[in-house]
Amino acid sequence: MAEVRVPELGESIVEGTISKWFKNEGETVAAGDAVCELETDKVNLEVISETAGVLRGVTKAVGDTVSVGEVIATIEAGTGAESSAAPAASQGASTPASTPAALAAPTPAAAAPVAPAAMATPVAAAPLRETLNASPSLRKMAREQGQVGISAAPATPVAAPQALPVKPSAPAAAPAATAQVGVREERVRMSRRRQTIAKRLVEAQHTAAMLTTFNEVDMTAILDIRKRRKDAFKDKYGVGLGFMSFFTKAVVGALKAFPRLNAEIQGDDMILKQHYDIGVAVSTDEGLVVPVVRDADSMTFAAIESEIASLAKRAREGKLTLTELSGGTFTITNGGTFGSLMSTPILNAPQVGILGMHKIQERPMAVNGEVQIRPMMYIALSYDHRIVDGSEAVRFLVMVKELVENPESLLLEG
């Protein structure tokens, strides 16, 4: 027997949650096959079998928490052909191979009208074999019921269907009650990642002395550049010219001028970073993740756009690595993609600054004594007042505004 253990999950991550089993107990596994998937605080990882054989001794079900190094299954040497070829009847109801066959008989338990309502969960919709292999406790219960079903099967095939019309009013009332409860409220357990996000956001608010300052940016110049250059840019670099490259360059320029916004607090010390690794918030089905654009100060506009596009794609596919999610020095988040006009971003600890972008909206503005309609964007800077003074934060945001409104200066300052 070879043990299947939870692998190292990354720096500071000591446990995970089983989110999916790719192999059922009793199935053949080849060396290099993924047997299950683990959800951690940051990414999902596959547990790989190092040996070939048959999956046995599964001890954890979907949703269970496991620790690094913990044994969650074993691999029995062999191909699994012998066990699958053996007749189910000769092995008895206690073996995994005979359990599905035994439960296939129309026993009273299988025909009971309340079974669908009682098991109205995602697991219940799966095939019986997958359901049994998802939980050791369910497998044990199913084996015990399977023994009863085999011995009672000859006497009950006809009786089970006849038991349905005994109380016609009860089955009719049950679905209605279930539907009413389902429509009015639903209890859904938060994923491990969502729990971690919630915990860290609350910690950031309780730990940092967080304040937010606001300003607005005239986006006329950037929109003009994008209109004139977007086709040529796309043809040359294979990626669109978006707003993020301009704001990333502007943020880097402002961080160089105000270094305490590119820092973190460790005890009584400030760690001032001399590198500019900009986190870019990406929304996924499982919550917000912040992959990092490394050394953004040395990257071209095209390189920044390509890297952000690549990181965002992998984030939504759940393929980001732990390295890509760690070590950022400052974060940019764009609520404008969802239509937000103004918001207060929360710090991504241990960082002490985060810039919030918002929706571009045309508004009447006074320009050189005249009222003109301009495409305007509100921007927000949340900062940790423990090491960043209010005047620093205001001047930082003003510099971002000035650099964005004068894109040519980004070539010098960014």
Side-chain angles (χ1 to χ4, degrees):
M1 288 282 187
E3 295 177 333
V4 179
R5 293 180 178 270
V6 178
E8 293 292 333
L9 302 177
E11 183 180 359
S12 76
I13 300 179
V14 298
E15 63 180 20
T17 300
I18 294 182
S19 59
K20 185 187 303 181
W21 277 99
F22 298 118
K23 299 289 185 179
N24 296 318
E25 186 162 345
E27 285 192 6
T28 300
V29 177
D33 279 356
V35 295
C36 70
E37 181 182 67
L38 296 179
E39 179 186 10
T40 71
D41 297 346
K42 295 182 177 180
V43 296
N44 288 7
L45 301 171
E46 293 180 346
V47 177
I48 306 298
S49 174
E50 297 181 357
T51 58
V54 179
L55 185 65
R56 302 292 189 193
V58 175
T59 60
K60 297 292 182 178
V62 171
D64 286 352
T65 298
V66 294
S67 303
V68 171
E70 184 175 354
V71 178
I72 57 176
T74 57
I75 302 294
E76 181 181 0
T79 62
E82 181 180 350
S83 60
S84 62
S90 64
Q91 295 186 30
S94 62
T95 64
S98 65
T99 301
L103 293 180
T107 62
V114 297
M119 297 186 67
T121 66
V123 173
L128 181 59
R129 184 182 181 190
E130 295 181 6
T131 304
L132 296 180
N133 280 282
S135 169
S137 59
L138 285 178
R139 292 198 304 274
K140 179 180 178 182
M141 181 180 68
R143 288 197 296 269
E144 293 172 352
Q145 292 178 349
Q147 293 173 352
V148 176
I150 290 177
S151 60
T156 55
V158 179
Q162 293 176 348
L164 289 173
V166 173
K167 290 187 68 178
S169 58
T178 302
Q180 185 178 15
V181 172
V183 169
R184 293 178 65 87
E185 61 184 39
E186 180 182 7
R187 182 184 296 271
V188 179
R189 184 174 180 82
M190 289 193 294
S191 68
R192 184 180 191 88
R193 192 165 304 150
R194 173 57 61 184
Q195 294 178 48
T196 301
I197 291 172
K199 179 181 177 181
R200 289 181 177 174
L201 291 178
V202 171
E203 286 178 350
Q205 288 185 310
H206 288 175
T207 302
M210 191 175 72
L211 293 179
T212 304
T213 183
F214 300 90
N215 212 315
E216 59 182 351
V217 176
D218 187 339
M219 299 292 288
T220 300
I222 287 182
L223 290 175
D224 180 61
I225 290 176
R226 292 183 71 222
K227 182 178 180 180
R228 289 186 289 105
R229 301 297 301 273
K230 65 178 182 180
D231 292 337
F233 190 90
K234 182 69 175 290
D235 291 341
K236 184 173 182 179
Y237 300 109
V239 66
L241 179 59
F243 300 122
M244 288 303 300
S245 54
F246 290 95
F247 276 90
T248 299
K249 285 287 189 180
V251 161
V252 169
L255 289 175
K256 289 180 178 179
F258 301 95
R260 280 197 286 187
L261 277 150
N262 198 49
E264 68 176 83
I265 299 175
Q266 291 184 5
D268 294 330
D269 298 328
M270 293 185 298
I271 310 299
L272 303 176
K273 311 293 180 66
Q274 303 300 325
H275 52 98
Y276 304 91
D277 300 333
I278 308 302
V280 179
V282 177
S283 178
T284 71
D285 292 339
E286 296 184 1
L288 199 69
V289 295
V290 187
V292 178
V293 178
R294 307 283 176 189
D295 298 317
D297 58 316
S298 63
M299 300 175 71
T300 64
F301 280 75
I304 292 174
E305 292 290 355
S306 296
E307 181 67 0
I308 290 176
S310 175
L311 291 171
K313 181 176 183 294
R314 294 204 300 279
R316 297 187 177 100
E317 294 174 348
K319 296 180 179 179
L320 288 174
T321 65
L322 291 172
T323 301
E324 291 171 324
L325 289 166
S326 59
T329 62
F330 188 93
T331 294
I332 302 175
T333 180
N334 186 4
T337 57
F338 303 103
S340 172
L341 187 61
M342 183 179 290
S343 65
T344 302
I346 298 178
L347 290 173
N348 181 22
Q351 298 169 21
V352 297
I354 180 172
L355 178 75
M357 300 165 55
H358 299 92
K359 176 184 177 182
I360 299 174
Q361 188 170 25
E362 291 188 340
R363 297 199 300 272
M365 303 295 295
V367 181
N368 298 324
E370 297 180 353
V371 175
Q372 298 182 12
I373 303 300
R374 292 296 185 99
M376 304 299 296
M377 175 194 287
Y378 288 117
I379 55 176
L381 172 71
S382 291
Y383 60 98
D384 193 337
H385 208 349
R386 290 180 296 171
I387 65 170
V388 180
D389 293 333
S391 61
E392 278 183 291
V394 171
R395 286 182 291 151
F396 175 94
L397 200 58
V398 168
M399 187 169 184
V400 170
K401 165 186 169 68
E402 292 173 347
L403 290 173
V404 171
E405 290 182 342
N406 299 278
E408 292 84 358
S409 62
L410 292 176
L411 299 176
L412 301 175
E413 303 291 344

